[in-house]
């Protein structure tokens, strides 16, 4: 086939200069008939590249396509090379073609898949492998009151399915804990997830819609490898599917207000409720949502082997009593850390106080709502048991219940030492309410010892009487009256002889 430059030359020489076909053919070194053909040609239709059939490669293309789609769910270091795919085809499928043919096909197919991924508007439309996330709120009955708690929903637009979990707050730790739980339940990670501009994920929205992410969310995304998208400010309709699922899950599973005693138990039940809902027929596709869900999950990313540590690490300085302020709440450390810096690991449900070697000193349940202070007594009581005189000057004395303040105030130094050791021991298995009750019971007959308090605690723990009457089946002999001298010994021996 002639080049465009040659065709232009032929047409110019023949049609504009009037040269003969023969002359031009000699000058371009082509056949005279070829010159005539291009000089006289009226139309230049687009040349379509013919697709050559390749029976050997065509037979294994579906296999290569499935391998490529599998590998795209993995990190690059875990993806197979074209050479490895060729080897597998030879060993497992008896492939007779060349390695070069496989390399060429793998390269072109990868480019096609890349373009498909870039061109798709994934989360807004119902594409496979995508998800949307948002928080909702619902009322719960807890400790005799009605409280509002947030619940996190992840919905899957392609299949119209969803998961949801209830949390004590909408903070970063709760968001990431919820996402991680759902990934674990799925056994995979959605390829693309759309969010509203949640403050746990977005620190600031800059000009032209660029977002500055929170550090934890950014590291979470890197760990799991999904792509994220955010709605435009004030455009909640851009995540319309998850908003519908928030309303649906609240109306069908969280109303009227549920009685809440254990949040973990409730969340375990919610997995099953959501999955049972998948058995509905899709409103548009007229197929079971569970079937569609499997198709969508097939496009997900592989779940990493290691879980992400959904914890915020920070430093805090303890006050003179050894308390640190975390999110406007007080948590105790240890007396030796009073007015010193400590590391704090903040999880959605727990606060861990760490020393300079990142070793855990003490753990607290994380406080929410009106709770303002959490005290773990063991570190204080163990130290004070060694130095009981220091109790009134430590700041700990003021935090003790009034019953124990009064008892320690009336005790000797040795009694204080024994009582503080007992408290340090029993606080691992009991509350101050139970220990107060034991102290009051033991004090009914006067100022008790630490051992008497222990006995009272054990009796109350095992539902036993503190003091029991001694029962005997034998009659106790009556002893003679005590008199001066040794004659009463003779009387005692006479009694033994009679018996």
């Amino acid at each position: 086939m002639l080049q465009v430059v040659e065709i232009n030359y032929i047409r110019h020489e023949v049609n504009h200069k009037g040269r003969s076909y023969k002359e031009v053919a000699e000058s371009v070194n082509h056949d005279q008939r070829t010159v005539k053909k291009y000089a006289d040609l009226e139309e230049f239709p687009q040349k379509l590249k013919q697709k050559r059939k390749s029976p050997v490669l065509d037979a294994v293309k579906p296999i290569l396509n499935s391998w490529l789609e599998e590998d795209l769910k993995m990190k690059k270091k875990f993806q197979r090379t074209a050479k490895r795919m060729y080897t597998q085809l030879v060993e497992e499928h008896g492939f007779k073609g060349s390695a070069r043919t496989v390399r060429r096909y793998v390269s072109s197919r990868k480019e096609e898949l890349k373009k498909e991924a870039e061109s798709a508007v994934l989360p807004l439309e119902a594409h496979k492998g995508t998800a949307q996330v948002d928080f909702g709120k619902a009322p719960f009955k807890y400790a005799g009151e009605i409280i509002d708690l947030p619940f996190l929903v992840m919905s899957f637009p392609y299949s119209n399915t969803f998961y949801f979990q209830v949390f004590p707050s909408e903070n970063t730790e709760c968001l990431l804990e919820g996402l991680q739980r759902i990934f674990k339940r799925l056994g995979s990670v959605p390829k693309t997830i759309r969010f509203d501009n949640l403050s746990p994920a977005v620190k600031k929205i800059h000009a032209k819609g660029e977002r500055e992410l929170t550090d934890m969310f950014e590291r979470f995304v890197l760990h799991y490898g999904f792509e994220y998208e955010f709605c435009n400010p004030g455009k909640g309709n851009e995540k319309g599917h998850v908003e519908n699922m928030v309303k649906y899950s609240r109306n069908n599973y969280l109303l009227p207000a549920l009685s809440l005693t254990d949040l973990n138990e409730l969340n375990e039940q919610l997995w099953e409720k959501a999955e049972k809902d998948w058995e509905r027929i899709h409103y548009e596709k007229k197929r079971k949502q569970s079937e569609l869900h499997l198709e969508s999950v097939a496009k997900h990313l592989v779940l990493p082997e290691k879980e992400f540590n959904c914890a915020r690490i920070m430093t805090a300085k303890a006050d003179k009593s050894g308390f640190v302020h975390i999110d406007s709440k007080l948590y105790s450390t240890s007396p030796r850390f009073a007015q010193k810096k400590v590391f704090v690991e903040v999880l959605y449900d727990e606060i861990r106080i760490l020393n300079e070697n990142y070793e855990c000193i003490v753990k607290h349940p994380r406080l929410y709502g009106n709770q303002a202070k959490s005290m773990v007594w063991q570190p204080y009581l163990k130290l004070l048991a060694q130095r009981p005189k220091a109790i009134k000057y430590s700041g700990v004395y003021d935090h003790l219940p009034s019953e124990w303040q009064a008892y320690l105030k009336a005790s000797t130094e040795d009694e204080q030492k024994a009582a503080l050791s007992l408290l340090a021991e029993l606080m691992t298995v009991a509350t101050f309410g139970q220990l107060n009750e034991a102290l009051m019971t033991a004090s009914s007959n006067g100022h008790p010892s630490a051992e008497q308090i222990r006995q009272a605690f054990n009796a109350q723990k095992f539902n036993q009487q503190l003091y029991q009457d001694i029962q005997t089946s034998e009659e106790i002999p009556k002893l003679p009256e005590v008199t001066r001298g040794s004659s009463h010994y003779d009387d005692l021996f006479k009694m033994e002889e009679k018996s």
Side-chain angles (χ1 to χ4, degrees), residues 360-394:
C360 187
I361 306 164
V362 66
K363 296 178 183 178
H364 296 266
R366 186 167 178 180
L367 301 179
Y368 290 101
N370 295 327
Q371 291 177 292
K373 183 186 291 185
S374 177
M375 178 76 177
V376 175
W377 289 92
Q378 284 85 345
Y380 293 84
L381 297 171
K382 284 179 181 178
L383 184 66
L384 290 172
Q386 300 168 14
R387 295 183 290 172
K389 284 184 178 179
I391 188 168
K392 290 186 179 180
Y393 311 103
S394 65

Side-chain angles (χ1 to χ4, degrees), residues 33-50:
R33 285 172 297 180
T34 302
V35 171
K36 183 178 185 305
K37 171 188 168 182
Y38 283 104
D40 299 343
L41 197 64
E42 296 293 335
E43 290 185 280
F44 290 85
Q46 182 180 352
K47 291 286 183 181
L48 298 176
K49 191 175 180 181
Q50 281 192 327

Side-chain angles (χ1 to χ4, degrees), residues 96-200:
K96 302 298 182 183
S98 68
R100 182 181 176 186
T101 306
V102 173
R103 283 200 305 271
R104 189 163 53 238
Y105 178 75
V106 168
S107 177
S108 64
R109 183 61 184 144
K110 278 185 176 178
E111 282 299 314
E112 289 173 8
L113 291 171
K114 184 180 177 183
K115 287 176 182 177
E116 286 174 14
E118 289 174 351
S119 63
V121 186
L122 292 174
L124 201 52
E125 298 177 17
H127 285 268
K128 297 176 184 178
T130 66
Q132 298 180 5
V133 169
D134 201 9
F135 275 107
K137 280 198 173 180
F140 293 87
K141 296 175 185 175
Y142 180 73
E145 295 182 18
I146 298 291
I147 60 171
D148 287 342
L149 289 180
F151 60 99
L152 182 74
V153 179
M154 178 179 284
S155 73
F156 310 96
Y158 178 80
S159 58
N160 199 41
T161 56
F162 64 93
Y163 274 127
F164 64 119
Q165 292 280 280
V166 180
F167 285 95
S169 175
E170 292 184 31
N171 58 38
T172 303
E173 294 78 35
C174 289
L175 170 65
L176 302 188
E177 174 68 22
L179 292 176
Q180 184 161 255
R181 282 186 195 177
I182 294 171
F183 294 165
K184 190 174 180 180
R185 187 75 178 187
L186 287 167
S188 59
V189 180
K191 212 170 185 180
T192 304
I193 305 176
R194 170 159 285 198
F195 300 85
D196 201 348
N197 295 288
L198 301 169
S199 58

Side-chain angles (χ1 to χ4, degrees), residues 172-173 176 198-204 211-223 228 308-314:
T172 303
E173 294 78 35
L176 302 188
L198 301 169
S199 58
V202 179
K203 192 187 297 183
K204 191 175 182 182
R211 288 161 177 81
E212 184 180 346
L213 304 182
T214 61
D215 174 66
M216 277 186 70
F217 182 78
E218 198 164 39
R219 288 188 292 107
F220 184 86
V221 170
L222 290 172
H223 182 86
Y228 57 85
F308 183 79
N309 181 22
C310 300
R312 169 168 43 112
I313 306 292
M314 57 182 290

